[in-house]
């Protein structure tokens, strides 16, 4: 019905904001300060002073802004949350400049259009509506950095919220869900394993410890664990992949064909169902290294060692109990289905910090991360209408 307007999106009030956000190349490896400072300056000009929490390097920041309730209170209330970083476009064949919004066939194309600058831009464009509302409770905006590389930024912001006693009562993470509430997702646990062997000439292999061969044994053990979860569960049929998974993603080792490799390094991840304790799986992997492989390696040479380091952990979002925020989003979207996402988000972090969280945002995850990422204009319209209902639901009853 609204298709007459679809090609231009001229009816979408958020479009200037979304276009501005998309023009910043906030690929996770880059600084996001240009985007954050633009939003900060805009909020300031509207009389809102946001709090920035910086990465140790100073090159990246989270932004948290509070629109207080009509009585001036700034604790409690609802957070609208999104990450500012995007995945790389390296090696992808795009039909248009990925860092310039391009409107074609009722869709907005650009890196981050779907994941998740469409949501952030829509929320920012509603600042006047938020400020014109007599809010019963505060409304907060939370923009994070480095979500795509393992939810690195959001924990700093959450620590700051706790230190300042903000204690929001609910959070909506606007990751792409087709504007349907998603109540749970798996956890992501990303680790690096370094296997230290002992170098020797390859003609004298018994004098060395082959780091690649022991790393291969570790990798096979991780695969065996994954197979066990697949074969024996536990299962949750609400997930596309209904069991806990694990896999090795990257491996490197060795310096020459005729040298026993002294070092092999690999990264692996465990994606756990909310009901499965990921730390326990990590401990199983570490004990196999410690108790089974290391004694054999040390028998070959006392220098051998295996070390693990945690790269990133994003806890699962469980739906054990539905918070008031989930009920609100269900009521506003008229959607009561139980949906669980196969991807990780910052929602699990908010929930782990005691802030009930639900995921609901424009676009679909299949449209993100690849070449010609897009969000349908219809989804942006639905997002605006949804957020307007959220704001209205927070107004003081007359
Ligand atoms: Zn995302």
């Amino acid at each position: 019905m609204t298709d007459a307007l679809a090609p231009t999106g001229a009816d979408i009030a958020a479009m200037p904001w979304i276009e501005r956000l998309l023009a910043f190349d906030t690929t996770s490896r880059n600084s996001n300060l240009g985007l954050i400072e633009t939003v900060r300056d805009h909020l300031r000009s509207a009389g809102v002073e946001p709090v920035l929490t910086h990465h140790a390097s100073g090159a990246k920041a989270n932004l948290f802004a509070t629109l207080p309730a009509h009585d001036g209170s700034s604790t409690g209330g609802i957070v609208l949350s999104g990450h500012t970083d995007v995945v790389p476009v390296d090696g992808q064949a795009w039909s248009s400049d990925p860092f310039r919004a391009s409107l074609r066939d009722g869709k907005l194309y650009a890196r981050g259009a779907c994941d998740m600058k469409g949501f952030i831009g829509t929320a920012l464009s509603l600042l006047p509506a938020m400020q014109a509302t007599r809010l019963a409770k505060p409304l907060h905006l939370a923009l994070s950095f480095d979500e795509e590389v393992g939810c690195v930024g959001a924990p700093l912001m959450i620590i700051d919220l706790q230190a300042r006693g903000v204690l929001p009562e609910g959070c909506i993470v606007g990751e792409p869900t087709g504007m349907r509430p998603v109540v749970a997702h798996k956890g992501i646990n990303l680790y690096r394993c370094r296997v230290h062997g002992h170098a020797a000439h390859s003609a004298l292999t018994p004098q060395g410890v082959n780091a690649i061969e022991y790393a291969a044994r570790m990798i096979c053990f991780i695969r065996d664990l994954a197979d066990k979860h697949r074969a024996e569960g536990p299962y949750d049929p609400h997930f596309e992949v209904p069991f806990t998974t694990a896999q090795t993603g990257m491996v490197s080792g060795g310096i020459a064909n005729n040298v026993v490799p002294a070092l092999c390094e690999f990264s692996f991840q465990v994606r756990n169902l909310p009901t499965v304790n990921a730390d326990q799986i990590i401990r199983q992997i570490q004990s196999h290294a410690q108790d089974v492989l290391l004694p054999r390696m040390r028998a070959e040479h006392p220098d051998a060692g295996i070390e693990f380091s945690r790269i990133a952990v994003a806890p699962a979002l469980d739906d054990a109990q539905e918070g008031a925020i989930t009920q609100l989003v269900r009521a506003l979207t008229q959607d009561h289905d139980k949906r669980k996402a196969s991807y990780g988000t910052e929602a699990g972090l908010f929930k782990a910090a005691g802030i009930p969280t639900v995921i609901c945002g424009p676009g679909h995850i299949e449209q993100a991360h690849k070449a010609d990422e897009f969000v349908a204009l219809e989804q942006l319209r639905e997002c605006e209408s949804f957020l307007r209902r959220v704001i209205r639901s927070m107004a003081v009853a007359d």
Side-chain angles (χ1 to χ4, degrees):
M1 215 82 89
T2 46
D3 275 350
L5 288 166
T8 63
D11 60 312
I12 297 173
M15 207 48 95
W17 257 115
I18 297 172
E19 286 176 355
R20 205 172 303 160
L21 297 174
L22 291 171
F24 289 100
D25 177 358
T26 52
T27 305
S28 309
R29 62 180 171 238
N30 298 339
S31 168
N32 73 339
L33 289 183
L35 185 157
I36 289 291
E37 285 164 6
T38 298
V39 174
R40 179 198 63 194
D41 294 347
H42 174 71
L43 290 167
R44 272 185 184 162
S45 71
V48 180
E49 184 60 42
V51 174
L52 269 52
T53 44
H54 286 84
H55 181 257
S57 70
K60 299 176 188 196
N62 302 301
L63 178 149
F64 191 88
T66 297
L67 286 93
H70 75 101
D71 64 0
S73 122
S74 57
T75 60
I78 293 177
V79 185
L80 303 178
S81 163
H83 61 82
T84 60
D85 62 319
V86 296
V87 296
V89 297
D90 306 343
Q92 296 181 339
W94 281 71
S95 313
S96 55
D97 181 348
F99 298 104
R100 234 183 97 184
S102 170
L103 287 161
R104 306 193 294 273
D105 319 319
K107 295 168 186 162
L108 175 69
Y109 290 86
R111 171 56 84 233
C114 172
D115 186 10
M116 54 186 293
K117 292 174 176 174
F119 175 82
I120 297 175
T122 305
L124 287 171
S125 74
L126 289 170
L127 184 64
M130 296 172 190
Q131 291 190 304
T133 303
R134 266 169 67 79
L135 293 169
K137 287 176 176 180
L139 194 49
H140 315 273
L141 289 173
L143 307 187
S144 65
F145 65 86
D146 279 3
E147 188 270 353
E148 297 288 5
V149 289
C151 296
V152 176
L156 298 175
M157 178 161 61
I158 291 170
I159 289 168
D160 172 70
L161 292 187
Q162 290 172 325
R164 291 190 291 121
V166 178
L167 306 173
E169 292 154 71
C171 174
I172 299 170
V173 172
E175 289 275 0
T177 65
M179 293 310 303
R180 305 285 129 215
V182 166
V183 296
H185 64 67
K186 288 184 181 177
I188 304 176
N189 309 269
L190 182 57
Y191 282 76
R192 182 180 297 115
C193 177
R194 262 199 192 97
V195 179
H196 299 275
H198 187 77
H201 192 291
S202 63
L204 307 169
T205 51
Q207 293 178 13
V209 181
N210 192 312
I212 292 178
E213 291 171 3
Y214 282 100
R217 289 184 162 92
M218 280 302 306
I219 291 168
C220 290
F221 179 79
I222 292 166
R223 172 61 195 247
D224 290 347
L225 267 183
D227 287 345
K228 194 164 150 45
H229 277 267
R230 183 177 188 164
E232 296 170 18
Y235 303 105
D236 182 339
H238 286 109
F239 286 97
E240 187 183 339
V241 177
F243 44 87
T244 295
T245 61
Q247 78 134 11
T248 298
M250 290 173 82
V251 59
S252 69
I255 56 163
N257 287 321
N258 57 356
V259 178
V260 174
L263 180 67
C264 184
E265 197 174 289
F266 65 94
S267 61
F268 65 96
Q269 58 171 251
V270 174
R271 289 185 179 247
N272 60 300
L273 292 176
T275 50
V276 169
N277 183 337
D279 290 339
Q280 217 169 319
I281 298 176
I282 301 297
R283 274 198 298 274
Q284 270 178 286
I285 294 169
Q286 289 171 329
S287 326
H288 182 74
Q290 194 65 35
D291 305 336
V292 180
L293 296 182
L294 202 55
R296 287 166 62 183
M297 293 170 74
R298 294 241 161 105
E300 293 175 10
H301 197 284
D303 278 358
I306 302 177
E307 45 169 333
F308 291 87
S309 52
R310 198 163 95 156
I311 303 173
V313 170
L317 176 67
D318 77 75
D319 65 326
Q321 71 249 43
E322 285 200 353
I325 187 69
T326 304
Q327 285 156 28
L328 174 70
V329 171
R330 285 199 188 291
L332 296 181
T333 55
Q334 289 291 300
D335 189 306
H336 297 269
D337 288 350
K338 198 173 269 291
R339 277 189 205 79
K340 301 186 179 186
S342 49
Y343 52 91
T345 79
E346 293 170 341
L349 286 168
F350 283 106
K351 183 126 189 211
I355 305 168
T357 300
V358 61
I359 312 165
C360 186
H364 296 277
I365 199 73
E366 314 81 65
Q367 296 154 358
H369 288 211
K370 49 187 176 191
D372 291 343
E373 171 175 348
F374 71 89
V375 64
L377 298 183
E378 204 43 59
Q379 282 286 301
L380 294 177
R381 294 188 184 101
E382 209 176 315
C383 180
E384 179 186 330
S385 136
F386 166 72
L387 289 179
R388 284 189 185 280
R389 276 173 274 149
V390 171
I391 296 166
R392 265 203 301 278
S393 78
M394 296 178 70
V396 174
D398 290 319

